[in-house]
Amino acid sequence: MSDEIPLAPLPDKPATKYSTPQAPETPPRRGFFSGAASIAIGALIGVVPTAAGLATLFDPLRRKGSGAKLLRVASLDTLPTSGEPRAFPILADYVDAWNRLPNQPIGTVYLRRLPGTDKVEAFNATCPHAGCMVSFKPERNQFQCPCHTSAFEADGSRVMPCVSPRDLDGLKCEVRKEEGQPVVYVAFENFYSGMHEKKAKA
Amino acid sequence: MRALLDWLDDRTGIRELLHEALYERIPGHARWRYVWGSTLVFAFTVQLITGVFLWMSYSPSSQTAWESVYYIQNEMWGGWLLRGIHHFMAQAMIVLLALHLLQVVIDGAYRAPREVNFWLGLILMKIVLGLSLTGYLLPWDQKGYWATRVATNLMSLVPFVGTDIQRVVVGGADYGHHTLTRFFALHAGVLPGLLIFFLVLHIAIFRRHGIHAKDPKKGVETTFWPDQVLKDSVACLAVLLVVLFFVVRPALFGAQVGEHPGHLLGAELGAPADPANQYSAARPEWYFLFLFQFLKYFPGDKEIYGALVIPGLLMLGLALMPIVGRWKLGHRFNVLYILMLLLGAGALTGVAWYDDNMARFETNVPVLATDAKRKESQGYLEAVADAEQQTHRALELASAPSGIPPAGAVSLMRRDPMTEGPRLFARYCASCHSHTNPQGVGIKAPESSAPNLYGFASRQWIARVLDPAHVGGPEMFGNTKHKEGDMVTFVRDTLAKEDKAQVAKVVAALSAEAALPEQAAADKRDAAQITEGRELVAKLSCTDCHKYNDEGSLGTAPDLTDYGSEEWLTEFISNPAHERFYGDRNDRMPAFADGDEPTRHTIWAHDLRLLVMWLRGDWYRAEGK
C-alpha cells in the first residue's frame, strides 16, 4: 500500500545487522505432526482456565430461589371493606450472595378484601409483562403499570387490549385468627415476566 | 536525535509503522464526510480514559455502588466533571454511530470488497449498545435499577433457555451484589475488550481497502496526514465541546452551583435503588426509548415479536445490505431502508416522549391523546416530580454529618420519616384522616371522616381545636361522633367568650407540650407566655375533663400532659381507647399496636416510630433550611 504513495517516500534504509531475518524458502518437513500437536496443546492450555471461569459464571443456575414463604402481612382490619386493594410491603430475611439481611422489604403485595366477606385476595404487585410495579388507581378502580400501559381490574384480570400476557399473579393467602384478631398471611413468591404461563422464580 | 531515532528504528521498524499509519492515500482530497469513524475512535478513547478513572473510585455491590458513585459525584475533586464526560460521551457515541452508519450506507461503502468490514461495524455497534445498557445500571439508582430490570426481564422471552440466560446475567434469581459484579465485568472488561479486538480488525481491514472515496476525481489526491487529520481533530474538538456543554448546561442557564457542583452538574444520580419501593418514572435512556415504545404495541404473548423477533429481523436487514446492494436497485433500497429505520425510530421516540409529557400541554394532538393517556401522562409527570424529591432527599441525607452507614444509603431512606411518613400515612391512616396543608396539597382521604392531621399539635392546629368556627367543622371533629360532644360544645359556648389573648397563651402552652422541632425557636422565644398559658389551662376549666400535669383526672378525655410528644402520640396510636386517651368514648379509631406481642400489631414498631416522627415534622434537615 504505502509503496504506491509518491507524496512522502521513505528514505532509503541502509541494511543493518538488525534487519528482519528472512524465513527459509522451503518449510521444514513433518509439518503436519507439529501443527496438530501444537493445536492440541494450545486447546488444552486454553480450556483449563476457561472452564474454571465458566463454572463460576453458571453458578447462579444451581442456586435455588427462596420459594414461596407463608408470611404474616397485615391484620384484616386494615383492609377497606369496599374491596379497594391496598399495597403492603413483604418483609422477610433476604439473602444477597454473602449477606443475610434480616427483615427486609423483598416485594410488594396488593391485598383486597372481597366486599361483604372476610375473604382476601392477594396479588404480587409486579407486572407480568416486563416486571415494573403496578399501582392501584382508586379513581379508575384499576391497577396501572407505569411502563408499557398495561392495566388490570381490581380483581387482577387484564383490561383488554393489554400488553401483559397474563392476569396479575395471584398469591395464595389465608386469614388466620390470632387471639381473636383476623390476620392475613400470604405465600409470597415472584414469577418470570413476559410469558403466558405463570412460572415461579424458584 | 537522528541517531537515536535510527537506533530505535533499527530495532522496532517504527518509521515504517508511522509511515503506514499517517500516509494513507485519500483520493479526491480530505473531506468532512470522512470524519465520523475518527470521532468514534476519539469518543471511545475518552470513554476508556474516563472509565478507568471512574473504576478507581467505583465499588460494585448493592451496598456500595450508589454510595461510591455519590462520593465521586459530590465529594471528590472534579468527580462531577469526570462522570459528566463519561455519561454524555456515551450518548454522543450513539449519535456518532448513527451518523457513521448512515454515511457508510449512503456512500455505498458496504459494497465489495468491504462487506466484512461492514459486518464488523455492525458488531461494534452492538457492543456499544451493550456498553450503554450495562453502564446504565452501575450507579444503582432507582432509574437505572428499574429500567435495567425490564431489559433483563425481556431475556426470559428467549425460547427454551431464556430464564437460564436471565439467571446467569443477573447472577441469581434476583438483582443483588452479583448483578453488579457481572454488569461491571461486562461493562469494564468483556465488552471494551471485545470492542478493542473488533476495532483493530475494523481499522486493519479499512486500511487494507483504503478509504471509500465518494468522488475520487473531485480534488487532488492527498494523504491522511496532515489534511484529513486536521479535519478529524476539528470534528473531535466539536464533539468534546458539545459534550462539555451538556455537562455544565445547568450552570450556563443560570443555576446557582455554589459549593456543591455535583448536585447540579455532570451526570444525574437518582435516589438509591430500592427493590421494594415503587418507581413509576423508570424509562430507558433516550436512544432506547423507541424500543420501549415499540413494546406497547404487542399484546399478550406477542411480546416476543416486539422485543426480539422484529428488532432481530431489522438487524438482519442491515446485515444483508452488502448482498442486497449487488442488485440493480439494491443500493437505493438500502438507503431507503436505513432512512425508514431512522425515521421509524425517531417517530417512536417522539410518540414515547409525547405519551409521557402530553399532560404538560393544554391542547392535545388529537390522534395520540385520549383521556386515559392524558391521565397516564399526569401520573408519569407526578412520578417524575416524586423521583426528583427523593433524589434531593437522598443527597441531603447522604451528605449529612452522620454520613452513610455500612448498610448503604437505602437504609437511610428507609429510616427517614420524611420519605417513609407519607407512605405509611397513606397506608394506615388515610382511609379516615387527610393530611393536607391550607392550600389543599397533601394526602387526601377519599372520605375524610376524622381530623385533618396536617401540622398536628402545632399552634395552628391547636388553635383550630379551640376555635368555635373550626372545632365542629369537617377538618376537625365534624365527621366524628364528637361532633356534638362536650369538647365542641365547650369551645363554642364557653371558650368563645374568653379573651382571645388568653386562649392564644393556652394554645402556645399546649403546643409546647409536644416540643415540635419546627417550633423549638418559637417555644423558646415565648417562654413567658407559655408559662402563663400553663396556669390558664386549669383556670379556663380544661382540667374539668382533661388531666394536665397534677390537675384533673384520666378517663373522660385525652391527657394533655406531654400532648403531641413522641411518646404521647406513639401511645395514642397504639391504643386510643386507653383510659389515658379517649377511653370508652373513643370513636372508630382502631388500636394499631396494642398488646405485648409486637408481631401481632397492625403497624410494626419501626413504622410506627417513623409515622409519629413524620406527623411531628421530626426529621433531619440540612443546615440553613
Side-chain angles (χ1 to χ4, degrees), chain B residues 20-189:
Chain B
E20 182 148 349
L22 292 175
Y23 294 99
E24 190 208 359
R25 295 172 55 212
I26 311 231
H29 212 73
R31 300 185 62 177
W32 288 109
R33 65 189 310 141
Y34 303 147
V35 300
W36 302 120
S38 299
T39 55
L40 275 167
V41 173
F42 166 71
F44 177 61
T45 312
V46 169
Q47 295 306 77
L48 276 185
I49 296 171
T50 50
V52 166
F53 282 112
L54 284 169
W55 188 348
M56 291 181 190
S57 309
Y58 176 71
S59 169
S61 87
S62 50
Q63 283 155 4
T64 56
W66 187 92
E67 293 70 12
S68 61
V69 174
Y70 159 82
Y71 196 73
I72 297 171
Q73 173 78 25
N74 297 291
E75 307 278 340
M76 295 177 79
W77 276 354
W80 58 270
L81 181 62
L82 183 68
R83 266 195 88 222
I85 294 175
H86 197 75
H87 177 79
F88 287 107
M89 191 59 89
Q91 308 190 26
M93 229 169 143
I94 304 288
V95 176
L96 294 171
L97 259 178
L99 289 170
H100 187 48
L101 179 65
L102 194 63
Q103 194 245 319
V104 164
V105 174
I106 288 175
D107 285 359
Y110 53 79
R111 280 186 289 219
R114 298 182 174 82
E115 301 98 320
V116 174
N117 222 18
F118 181 74
W119 293 327
L120 286 172
L122 292 184
I123 293 175
L124 285 168
M125 181 171 91
K126 287 261 163 191
I127 296 175
V128 171
L129 291 177
L131 279 165
S132 55
L133 186 82
T134 47
Y136 203 49
L137 176 75
L138 296 181
W140 205 245
D141 59 356
Q142 282 282 65
K143 192 174 170 182
Y145 178 91
W146 289 94
T148 311
R149 247 172 74 132
V150 171
T152 51
N153 279 334
L154 292 179
M155 287 176 187
S156 65
L157 292 176
V158 176
F160 309 116
V161 287
T163 53
D164 285 342
I165 295 179
Q166 189 191 343
R167 207 170 253 258
V168 169
V169 170
V170 168
D174 294 312
Y175 266 39
H177 292 319
H178 272 175
T179 316
L180 277 165
T181 52
R182 274 160 198 246
F183 269 62
F184 187 48
L186 283 172
H187 185 78

Side-chain angles (χ1 to χ4, degrees), chain B residues 533-593:
Chain B
R534 284 194 183 121
E535 306 288 320
L536 285 166
V537 171
K539 282 191 192 144
L540 296 182
S541 44
C542 301
T543 44
D544 289 1
C545 303
H546 294 275
K547 183 172 188 297
Y548 184 58
N549 295 327
D550 297 333
E551 312 265 345
S553 57
L554 293 177
T556 41
D559 186 2
L560 296 180
T561 320
D562 295 331
Y563 182 87
S565 70
E566 190 174 333
E567 185 272 342
W568 188 95
L569 193 51
T570 306
E571 291 301 319
F572 182 88
I573 296 172
S574 298
N575 183 11
H578 190 275
E579 64 156 6
R580 183 177 166 196
F581 306 110
Y582 281 111
D584 48 19
R585 295 187 180 198
N586 183 37
D587 195 357
R588 292 142 299 157
M589 180 153 164
F592 281 88

Side-chain angles (χ1 to χ4, degrees), chain B residues 182-203:
Chain B
R182 274 160 198 246
F183 269 62
F184 187 48
L186 283 172
H187 185 78
V190 178
L191 292 173
L194 286 174
L195 195 139
I196 290 170
F197 175 78
F198 283 105
L199 187 60
V200 167
L201 287 184
H202 193 63
I203 293 175

